Amino acid sequence: MASKILLRGCRLTLMGRQHILMKTPQRAMAGKGIPTDEEQAAGLERRILQAMKKGQDPYSIFKPKEYTGTRDDPHIVPSINNKRLVGCLFSQFMVATSFQTIH
């Protein structure tokens, strides 16, 4: 409240002395309302939102596709490398998992 009175007093004083109209400062979001996520996003978040609009999933954000896990429809796990590490239990009685690297 005190700031409004101070601004009015300064404006009237400057108008009387210099004959210059000063605009009172306005709040940043007074006319436009609350910004949306797309308007407010920056950097990595903006790239993710733009890719999601195109239907892409650049950083594996979406839920992975469900597979049956059979030989005809294997469960594919996304990888960031050229090689894939596959673990397999060769027998139902094995305790240890055998891992193999596939190029």
Side-chain angles (χ1 to χ4, degrees):
M1 187 71 183
S3 63
K4 288 184 181 180
I5 294 171
L6 181 63
L7 286 173
R8 267 192 210 145
C10 290
R11 188 179 71 198
L12 291 174
T13 303
L14 290 174
M15 282 176 48
R17 289 184 187 169
Q18 299 174 0
H19 303 290
I20 298 173
L21 290 174
M22 287 185 56
K23 295 182 180 179
T24 56
Q26 292 185 358
R27 292 179 27 203
M29 305 314 299
K32 299 178 184 177
I34 299 173
T36 62
D37 290 340
E38 290 82 15
E39 294 171 350
Q40 194 170 0
L44 181 63
E45 185 180 7
R46 176 173 282 176
R47 281 187 262 158
I48 291 170
L49 288 173
Q50 289 172 350
M52 289 175 91
K53 281 183 181 178
K54 295 177 185 176
Q56 300 170 349
D57 187 20
Y59 301 105
S60 301
I61 296 172
F62 297 139
K63 181 180 176 185
K65 184 180 173 186
E66 294 291 328
Y67 298 96
T68 57
T70 62
R71 183 173 276 201
D72 297 330
D73 189 22
H75 185 78
I76 308 255
V77 179
S79 175
I80 58 171
N81 298 324
N82 294 336
K83 301 176 185 177
R84 293 186 186 261
L85 186 65
V86 177
C88 181
L89 291 173
F90 291 104
S91 171
Q92 62 183 357
F93 301 111
M94 285 186 69
V95 178
T97 306
S98 175
F99 289 99
Q100 299 174 353
T101 303
I102 299 175
H103 296 277

